[in-house]
Amino acid sequence: MKLSESKLLDALIAQAKLSKKHTEKQQKIVEAAIQIFAEKGYANTSTSEIAKVAGVAEGTIFRHYGTKDNLLLSVILPFFKETFPVMAEEVFIEIASNVESFEEFLKAFLKNRIAFFLENKAIARVVVKELIYNEELKKDLLPFLSENFLSRVHKVADYFIERGEFIDIPAERIVKMVITFVGGFLVSRLVFLPDYTVTDEEIDDAVRLVISGIGKKDDGTE
Amino acid sequence: MKLSESKLLDALIAQAKLSKKHTEKQQKIVEAAIQIFAEKGYANTSTSEIAKVAGVAEGTIFRHYGTKDNLLLSVILPFFKETFPVMAEEVFIEIASNVESFEEFLKAFLKNRIAFFLENKAIARVVVKELIYNEELKKDLLPFLSENFLSRVHKVADYFIERGEFIDIPAERIVKMVITFVGGFLVSRLVFLPDYTVTDEEIDDAVRLVISGIGKKDDGTE
DNA sequence: TCGTATTGTGAGTGAATACTCACTTATTTT
DNA sequence: AAAATAAGTGAGTATTCACTCACAATACGA
């Protein structure tokens, strides 16, 4: 009932292994679920409504997914399977080494992630909403995110710190603040402003401000 | 059923006018509702549970609040009644004029708001969650927020722009980015990291980074 | 073509839910 | 103190919900 028992990652691994074959009806069910979950949220969506929109009998949902919670997982997990590989260490390193400065890295990374999120806007919204709503999912996912994502940002930051690109403050603070800004940027534009389209110019703008700050640089006072 | 019909602000004004007298039981009900809404979300909370936690009969809830939606409003509205006066123009101006720089202004403002949000952590969480989940509430509230909050930040920014404190980019961008960061800061720390306590040092840190950026400056500032 | 497994169905089920109402208890007004 | 109003109660109600199950249709290898 609560999505709480099953550790998210176990589910991810389990599902990854037995790469299911989707029937036509299953596809319809998942599409309908994504659409309605994104619109009204998981808790406010009934399985009967999903069935109606998908054009299948309600029983068919339970034949394939067993429970409503499991259907949510089946919607969310493929999103993560696509999300995390891009956040893999090699990819980070590759972007970082193909780029002259941290500014360029941030731009490239943000553009890449925003494009992906815009392509999968509905699922992204489902995930963020559930992440905020569902304490259990959050407890499962946040440690995983910080282990993977955070540590990789950290590594990249270290790389540019060594090259003397940053002001002289601890890497932890830089990482923390960059993540806060990037997270705030993504969440505000994808969740709070649902019909917003992020332009490349805006990304350039945002990154430039993170790097340069908004204060004037020529006076030496603090 | 959907909180959708009633315009939020109408409700705010209406409620403000007839400053209800709270009975002891009403107080208990609201306290219980805040606590459980914050924990599990509005949609996942039943009125019977609220009644049980509050130690009243379920009927008592409906005697006073009529519907569950209305109870949610009765929880949320006082929060806004406390939030918005602080965001009133005079207060903004006062903070701005008692302060030497935009950096100091931001610090003062953030410390003030974070203190308030920490004091009302549970309600803040309910509001943010519902804001994300409830499209209708969002449609009601976001325009109001942008009219009030955004325009005031804009005014303050203009003030400091005139004093030549910022790099030479349009005020809109500055405002947008500052709000993105401040919003991301608040949401990430209050909603995603529920047990997080924000220290003054961290606020100083964050603001300094917004002002100065993370890039190294040529002229050896700071 | 038959047998078996998989996929699909929708009426049915018990539990839960928001809300009602006839009633009792407490408070205020006269 | 009597009457009137408001606060509080909890069993009851209609509806919705996630989920089941006996059965039907389809796919598919032998």
Side-chain angles (χ1 to χ4, degrees):
Chain A
M1 202 183 216
K2 267 294 162 53
L3 189 77
S4 44
E5 303 70 48
S6 68
K7 285 266 158 85
L8 178 77
L9 299 180
D10 296 349
L12 215 174
I13 291 158
Q15 213 221 30
K17 279 183 180 166
L18 48 81
S19 64
K20 277 186 206 165
K21 41 193 166 182
H22 272 234
T23 70
E24 203 179 321
K25 304 262 176 183
Q26 272 186 74
Q27 189 58 31
K28 287 272 176 75
I29 290 170
V30 168
E31 279 168 18
I34 290 174
Q35 181 206 311
I36 310 176
F37 285 164
E39 195 182 312
K40 318 200 306 177
Y42 174 76
N44 297 320
T45 303
S46 68
T47 49
S48 73
E49 190 182 355
I50 297 169
K52 218 169 71 188
V53 171
V56 303
E58 206 178 339
T60 308
I61 295 177
F62 290 94
R63 159 107 331 174
H64 287 293
Y65 301 99
T67 66
K68 193 188 163 195
D69 264 358
N70 200 24
L71 173 59
L72 174 64
L73 277 183
S74 300
V75 164
I76 286 180
L77 292 184
F79 178 79
F80 282 109
K81 280 201 279 186
E82 272 198 81
T83 302
F84 287 128
V86 186
M87 295 189 172
E89 201 146 342
E90 315 89 59
V91 184
F92 260 68
I93 297 294
E94 201 211 312
I95 298 179
S97 57
N98 276 334
V99 123
E100 290 277 302
S101 61
F102 188 73
E103 187 165 352
E104 272 185 51
F105 166 78
L106 245 193
K107 276 180 196 168
F109 180 76
L110 261 187
K111 277 172 190 170
N112 175 299
R113 285 302 78 194
I114 285 173
F116 174 72
F117 278 4
L118 286 180
E119 273 166 36
N120 301 275
K121 207 185 223 179
I123 303 184
R125 212 172 294 163
V126 173
V127 170
V128 173
K129 281 182 180 179
E130 271 310 298
L131 203 54
I132 290 170
Y133 230 64
N134 190 315
E135 295 294 322
E136 300 300 331
L137 185 64
K138 194 159 70 183
K139 272 181 197 139
D140 260 17
L141 195 66
L142 281 187
F144 181 78
L145 274 178
S146 70
E147 260 180 54
N148 285 269
F149 181 65
L150 206 140
S151 72
R152 271 149 204 166
V153 172
H154 206 303
K155 211 161 276 186
V156 173
D158 285 343
Y159 173 70
F160 287 105
I161 284 171
E162 273 176 33
R163 295 171 60 179
E165 269 201 51
F166 299 137
I167 54 174
D168 207 18
I169 62 173
E172 276 73 22
R173 293 196 200 169
I174 293 177
V175 172
K176 214 181 208 175
M177 295 303 150
V178 169
I179 287 176
T180 295
F181 186 82
V182 170
F185 193 87
L186 288 173
V187 169
S188 65
R189 269 133 188 99
L190 296 176
V191 179
F192 284 106
L193 308 169
D195 303 322
Y196 198 86
T197 303
V198 186
T199 63
D200 272 11
E201 285 77 26
E202 196 185 4
I203 296 173
D204 289 350
D205 233 40
V207 171
R208 205 177 310 125
L209 285 170
V210 170
I211 304 292
S212 312
I214 62 176
K216 214 163 193 168
K217 282 183 179 174
D218 51 16
D219 72 307
T221 55
E222 213 247 302
Chain B
M1 206 182 210
K2 265 297 162 49
L3 189 76
S4 44
E5 303 71 49
S6 68
K7 285 269 158 82
L8 178 77
L9 299 180
D10 297 348
L12 215 174
I13 290 157
Q15 213 221 31
K17 277 182 180 164
L18 48 81
S19 63
K20 276 187 207 164
K21 41 193 166 180
H22 270 233
T23 69
E24 203 178 321
K25 304 261 176 182
Q26 272 186 77
Q27 189 59 33
K28 287 274 176 75
I29 289 169
V30 168
E31 280 169 17
I34 290 174
Q35 181 206 311
I36 310 176
F37 284 164
E39 196 182 313
K40 318 200 306 179
Y42 174 76
N44 296 321
T45 303
S46 69
T47 49
S48 73
E49 190 182 354
I50 297 170
K52 218 169 73 186
V53 171
V56 303
E58 206 178 340
T60 308
I61 294 177
F62 291 94
R63 162 111 320 169
H64 287 293
Y65 301 98
T67 66
K68 192 188 162 193
D69 265 358
N70 200 26
L71 173 60
L72 175 64
L73 278 181
S74 301
V75 163
I76 286 180
L77 291 183
F79 179 78
F80 282 109
K81 280 200 279 184
E82 273 198 81
T83 303
F84 288 130
V86 186
M87 295 189 173
E89 202 145 341
E90 316 90 60
V91 183
F92 260 68
I93 298 292
E94 202 213 310
I95 298 180
S97 57
N98 276 334
V99 122
E100 291 276 303
S101 61
F102 189 72
E103 187 165 348
E104 271 184 51
F105 166 79
L106 247 194
K107 276 180 195 168
F109 180 76
L110 260 187
K111 277 173 188 168
N112 175 302
R113 284 301 79 189
I114 284 174
F116 174 72
F117 279 3
L118 286 179
E119 272 165 34
N120 301 275
K121 206 184 224 179
I123 303 183
R125 212 171 293 163
V126 174
V127 170
V128 173
K129 281 182 180 180
E130 269 312 296
L131 204 55
I132 290 170
Y133 232 63
N134 191 316
E135 295 294 322
E136 299 302 330
L137 184 65
K138 195 160 70 185
K139 270 180 198 139
D140 260 17
L141 194 65
L142 281 187
F144 181 78
L145 273 178
S146 69
E147 262 180 53
N148 286 269
F149 180 65
L150 206 139
S151 72
R152 271 151 204 165
V153 172
H154 206 305
K155 210 160 276 185
V156 173
D158 286 343
Y159 173 71
F160 286 105
I161 284 171
E162 273 177 34
R163 295 171 61 178
E165 268 201 52
F166 299 136
I167 53 174
D168 207 19
I169 61 173
E172 276 73 23
R173 293 196 199 169
I174 292 177
V175 172
K176 214 181 207 177
M177 295 303 150
V178 169
I179 287 176
T180 295
F181 185 82
V182 170
F185 192 87
L186 287 173
V187 170
S188 65
R189 270 134 188 97
L190 296 176
V191 179
F192 284 105
L193 308 169
D195 302 322
Y196 199 85
T197 302
V198 186
T199 63
D200 272 11
E201 284 78 26
E202 196 184 4
I203 296 172
D204 288 351
D205 233 38
V207 171
R208 206 177 309 126
L209 284 169
V210 170
I211 305 291
S212 312
I214 61 175
K216 204 162 197 168
K217 294 172 186 174
D218 309 317
D219 52 17
T221 314
E222 208 174 330

